């Protein structure tokens, strides 16, 4: 006689009634692509959200978009968003154990999904001070957080046309968001995935800092169907890389206090169900406001009067002047650390940014002028060989062939998509004559003289020549495809003068926006007269 007891899988445990919720249905949102000449739609992203439905209300399944969604840069593709609902048991039976087929038909229509690998479960907290990447695609993850499972196609070969065109993905995301709040462009590594979201709804929990800063209060209220059970609440505070405080307390219902000594740092709190070995609530790293700065501005009755303009255009100007009176409510929690600790933390942060080339300042003076030039070029090569596997784009109005030979030619990744864009900023008549026509000839001669075998090099060099496109001034080094998404650095000076004058090399906040701006101009300069040099 077999006395063994079947063990719950993580998915069956989490969907069992009353463990983290009381689920009856799964709402499914499928974003699919239709390709010319291929009859079977392709999964772009599928989100399954567990819900408790007891109202018996009718649910009309179908496409959320009345017309196919189209993106100009993907002429052979169109997209649809299909929503439907299925009983939770049917979905769990299909998903428990990764889908091992290339298609599935949960909606009743066959959809290509690829051979999927499973990951999870993991807990996604609600957003706190910053937005969490997963919350760009999960549904209404506002309260206790959600468990999530992720089935992904590791190769994503069928979606290569979309993945390799960040601008197309951004345009598609904007059109999708007109129907559902799913931000695929900022979570592009999840394209082609099937994600199951299990919101934690068996209770409601709230963590809040006590007014006097001596602890964290946790309050819970159970779902009407739930049987209250013993839980463990805990909170931690980290500052300067160390665990500054920790507290835990048992709680079944109502309110409890976790006593902590006051201090600076980020808090992380969670609620554990040790009997079932699950998390029932969690917070992202959270900081609390301890100081409010107020600036009272009092206007001066007498304005500043002066004239501005050039030559005949000079006009009288009047500017209202104000006096600012600053005040502060509260006390900095880290004031007791003293200026020495705060200065050391600041120096460490600056040193870290410099080591990662996220913020580097060049100060060429006296005998170190040549050294700063060498260092600046070395830093550009370092960035290209760190992030350039998926491509490197150099955008500089004064760029020339010698600059490209010193930078992009040093990319160690064979076949990486290298692009260079210049405004051909040269005098109409140079000393050698010929203007821009002479510039073009000189560029090609420079590459010819460089010789070599050009092994593994894939580079295209364009310039603004004529009325197409638009003037540009800023200088950027862009990496359109990295594990972190598109990245970009502001050079602060043209490549021909980096390290020769004071400037700052700095990572910009949103590389996607810079990459999109580059592509807009690149695509506008697509005529033969704009091509300076290409290999192969």
């Amino acid at each position: 006689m077999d006395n063994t007891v079947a063990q719950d899988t993580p998915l069956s445990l989490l969907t069992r009634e009353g463990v983290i919720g009381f689920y009856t249905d799964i709402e499914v949102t499928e974003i699919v692509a239709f390709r010319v000449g291929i009859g079977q739609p392709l999964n772009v992203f599928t989100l399954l959200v567990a819900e408790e439905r007891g109202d018996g209300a009718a649910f009309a399944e179908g496409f959320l978009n009345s017309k196919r969604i189209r993106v100009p840069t993907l002429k052979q593709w169109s997209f649809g968003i299909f929503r439907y609902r299925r009983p939770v048991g049917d979905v769990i039976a299909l998903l428990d154990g990764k889908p091992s087929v290339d298609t599935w038909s949960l909606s009743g229509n066959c959809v290509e999904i690829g051979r999927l690998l499973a990951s999870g479960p993991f807990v996604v907290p609600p957003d706190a001070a910053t937005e969490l990447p997963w919350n760009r695609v999960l549904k209404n993850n506002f309260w206790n957080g959600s468990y999530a499972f992720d089935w992904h196609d590791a190769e994503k070969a069928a979606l290569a046309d979309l993945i390799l065109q960040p601008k197309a993905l951004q345009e598609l995301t904007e059109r999708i968001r007109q129907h559902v709040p799913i931000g695929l462009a900022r979570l592009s590594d999840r394209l082609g995935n099937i994600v199951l979201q299990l919101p934690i709804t068996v209770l409601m929990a709230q963590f809040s800092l006590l007014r006097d800063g001596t602890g964290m209060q946790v309050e819970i209220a159970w779902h009407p169907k739930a049987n209250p059970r013993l839980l463990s609440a805990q909170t931690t505070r980290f500052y300067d890389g160390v665990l500054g405080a920790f507290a835990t307390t048992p709680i079944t219902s109502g309110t409890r206090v976790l006593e902590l000594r006051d201090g600076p740092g980020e808090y992380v709190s969670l609620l554990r169900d040790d009997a079932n070995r699950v998390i029932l609530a969690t917070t992202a790293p959270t900081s609390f406001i301890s100081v409010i700065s107020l600036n009272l501005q009092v206007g001066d009755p007498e304005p500043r009067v002066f004239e501005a303009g050039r030559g005949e255009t000079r006009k009288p100007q009047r500017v209202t002047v104000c006096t600012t009176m600053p005040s502060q409510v509260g006390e900095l929690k880290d004031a007791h650390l003293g200026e020495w600790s705060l200065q050391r933390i600041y120096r460490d942060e600056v040193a870290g940014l410099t080591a990662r080339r996220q913020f580097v300042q060049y100060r060429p003076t006296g005998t170190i002028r040549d050294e700063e030039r060498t260092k600046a070029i070395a830093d550009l090569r370092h960035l290209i060989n760190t992030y350039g596997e998926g491509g490197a784009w150099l955008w500089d109005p004064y760029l020339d062939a010698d600059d490209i030979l010193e930078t992009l030619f040093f990319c160690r990744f064979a076949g990486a998509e290298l692009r260079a864009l210049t405004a051909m900023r040269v005098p109409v008549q140079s000393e050698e004559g010929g203007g821009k026509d002479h510039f073009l000839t000189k560029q090609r001669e420079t590459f010819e003289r460089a010789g070599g075998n050009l092994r593994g090099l894939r580079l295209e060099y364009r310039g603004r020549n004529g009325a197409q496109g638009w003037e540009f001034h800023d200088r950027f080094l862009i990496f359109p495809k990295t594990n972190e998404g598109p990245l970009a650095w502001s050079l602060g000076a043209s490549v021909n003068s980096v390290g020769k004058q004071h400037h700052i090399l700095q990572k910009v906040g949103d590389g996607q926006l810079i990459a999109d701006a580059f592509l807009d101009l690149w695509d506008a300069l697509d005529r033969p007269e704009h091509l300076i040099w290409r290999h192969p």
Side-chain angles (χ1 to χ4, degrees):
M1 182 177 178
D2 187 0
N3 292 322
T4 59
V5 178
Q7 295 293 315
D8 277 321
T9 65
L11 185 52
S12 63
L13 170 65
L14 291 170
T15 53
R16 190 198 306 160
E17 185 175 89
V19 174
I20 67 170
F22 297 86
Y23 310 124
T24 59
D25 297 272
I26 301 286
E27 180 191 82
V28 185
T29 303
E30 286 183 348
I31 302 173
V32 295
F34 302 93
R35 297 154 293 173
V36 173
I38 302 177
Q40 188 168 265
L42 170 68
N43 176 51
V44 175
F45 183 78
T46 295
L47 176 64
L48 307 100
V49 183
E51 297 181 332
E52 179 184 358
R53 308 290 300 188
D55 51 15
F59 181 83
E61 66 179 46
F63 282 98
L64 301 183
N65 51 300
S66 57
K67 295 182 179 180
R68 293 276 182 91
I69 296 172
R70 298 186 182 275
V71 176
T73 50
L74 293 173
K75 299 186 184 301
Q76 302 297 309
W77 295 55
S78 61
F79 302 87
I81 308 168
F82 194 68
R83 177 167 285 172
Y84 55 97
R85 187 177 291 153
R86 294 292 181 267
V88 64
D90 294 353
V91 178
I92 300 310
L94 177 63
L95 292 177
D96 209 356
K98 69 179 180 64
S100 58
V101 294
D102 293 318
T103 62
W104 78 340
S105 54
L106 184 62
S107 66
N109 301 301
C110 193
V111 177
E112 180 183 343
I113 60 173
R115 293 195 171 263
L116 303 179
L117 303 173
S119 63
F122 46 89
V123 181
V124 183
D127 290 338
T130 58
E131 180 189 34
L132 302 181
W134 268 104
N135 286 331
R136 298 165 188 159
V137 296
L138 296 185
K139 180 179 180 180
N140 298 340
N141 193 33
F142 304 142
W143 310 113
N144 304 322
S146 297
Y147 271 91
F149 291 79
D150 184 30
W151 289 266
H152 58 278
D153 177 359
E155 296 181 359
K156 303 185 188 296
L159 289 164
D161 287 349
L162 186 57
I163 294 172
L164 295 176
Q165 298 188 58
K167 182 180 177 181
L169 179 56
Q170 185 67 42
E171 292 174 347
L172 175 61
T173 298
E174 291 173 1
R175 287 162 172 75
I176 288 173
R177 289 181 69 89
Q178 295 174 9
H179 304 280
V180 289
I182 293 178
L184 286 180
R186 300 189 67 185
L187 206 67
S188 58
D189 54 315
R190 304 299 166 179
L191 286 175
N193 291 18
I194 296 173
V195 174
L196 172 63
Q197 177 185 353
L198 303 175
I200 302 171
T201 57
V202 70
L203 53 70
M204 290 294 294
Q206 182 175 0
F207 290 89
S208 55
L209 190 69
L210 297 179
R211 289 186 178 181
D212 60 2
T214 59
M216 184 77 71
Q217 177 178 284
V218 57
E219 182 178 5
I220 66 173
W222 290 91
H223 188 288
K225 295 181 182 179
N227 294 318
R229 53 191 186 264
L230 181 64
L231 306 176
S232 177
Q234 71 176 54
T235 190
T236 56
R237 188 182 69 239
F238 283 88
Y239 182 72
D240 193 22
V242 300
L243 179 62
F246 171 83
T248 183
T249 186
I251 183 172
T252 302
S253 61
T255 302
R256 295 295 298 270
V257 172
L258 297 100
E259 295 183 358
L260 293 168
R261 64 178 182 275
D262 195 16
E266 290 188 319
Y267 293 82
V268 176
S269 304
L270 59 86
L271 202 57
R272 304 193 324 261
D273 175 359
D274 293 330
N276 289 303
R277 293 188 297 178
V278 295
I279 301 296
L280 293 186
T282 184
T283 66
T286 304
S287 298
F288 295 93
I289 296 174
S290 59
V291 174
I292 299 176
S293 296
L294 303 174
N295 290 317
L296 178 63
Q297 295 183 341
V298 179
D300 191 323
E302 183 176 349
R304 180 183 301 136
V305 180
F306 58 99
E307 290 186 352
R310 297 180 181 273
E312 299 297 327
T313 64
R314 296 174 67 89
K315 295 181 179 180
Q317 306 292 333
R318 296 168 64 90
V319 176
T320 300
V321 180
C322 65
T323 301
T324 300
M325 296 185 293
S327 63
Q328 177 176 295
V329 179
E331 181 181 353
L332 287 171
K333 290 180 178 290
D334 50 5
H336 64 282
L337 295 174
E339 286 298 318
W340 295 110
S341 294
L342 295 177
Q343 289 177 19
R344 190 265 305 156
I345 292 171
Y346 172 76
R347 287 195 303 271
D348 287 349
E349 290 175 349
V350 172
L353 291 173
T354 301
R356 296 189 298 273
R357 276 70 169 186
Q358 293 186 16
F359 183 94
V360 187
Q361 189 171 187
Y362 303 95
R363 301 184 182 95
T365 57
T367 58
I368 68 168
R369 186 175 299 274
D370 291 341
E371 294 178 12
E372 287 291 271
R373 169 66 177 178
T374 300
K375 179 178 180 295
I377 292 295
D379 286 342
L380 295 182
R381 294 174 185 172
H382 172 83
L383 289 172
I384 291 168
N385 286 315
T386 300
Y387 300 104
E389 184 174 4
W393 303 344
L394 195 52
W395 192 5
D396 179 351
Y398 293 94
L399 194 68
D400 66 14
D402 288 317
D403 299 330
I404 295 170
L405 287 166
E406 283 199 285
T407 55
L408 294 180
F409 264 62
F410 280 80
C411 180
R412 64 189 175 94
F413 301 109
E417 182 187 43
L418 306 177
R419 297 183 181 184
L421 189 56
T422 179
M424 298 196 292
R425 293 278 178 84
V426 294
V428 175
Q429 291 293 328
S430 65
E431 292 181 2
E432 301 176 17
K436 288 192 175 182
D437 288 338
H438 177 72
F439 177 86
L440 292 169
T441 301
K442 189 174 180 181
Q443 299 303 287
R444 292 157 185 161
E445 289 177 350
T446 300
F447 286 121
E448 186 68 25
R449 287 197 306 271
N453 60 7
L454 305 180
R455 184 174 180 83
L457 184 71
R458 179 187 172 198
L459 186 147
E460 184 166 343
Y461 177 26
R462 295 183 187 179
R464 183 170 184 262
N465 186 8
Q468 295 296 312
W470 46 87
E471 292 285 345
F472 58 93
H473 174 76
D474 293 318
R475 291 86 162 164
F476 292 104
L477 178 58
I478 304 163
F479 303 100
K481 185 183 178 185
T482 76
N483 292 334
E484 305 172 47
L487 302 177
W489 271 256
S490 172
L491 304 184
S494 289
V495 175
N496 58 33
S497 59
V498 294
K500 295 181 180 179
Q501 59 188 24
H502 177 267
H503 67 98
I504 294 172
L505 174 68
Q506 183 174 13
K507 184 179 179 182
V508 301
D510 195 329
Q512 182 69 67
L513 296 177
I514 303 300
D516 290 346
F518 177 93
L519 283 173
D520 286 340
L521 183 55
W522 182 266
D523 292 342
L525 304 178
D526 61 351
R527 296 182 179 181
E529 62 265 29
H530 302 130
L531 178 63
I532 300 174
W533 190 80
R534 178 196 289 145
H535 182 84

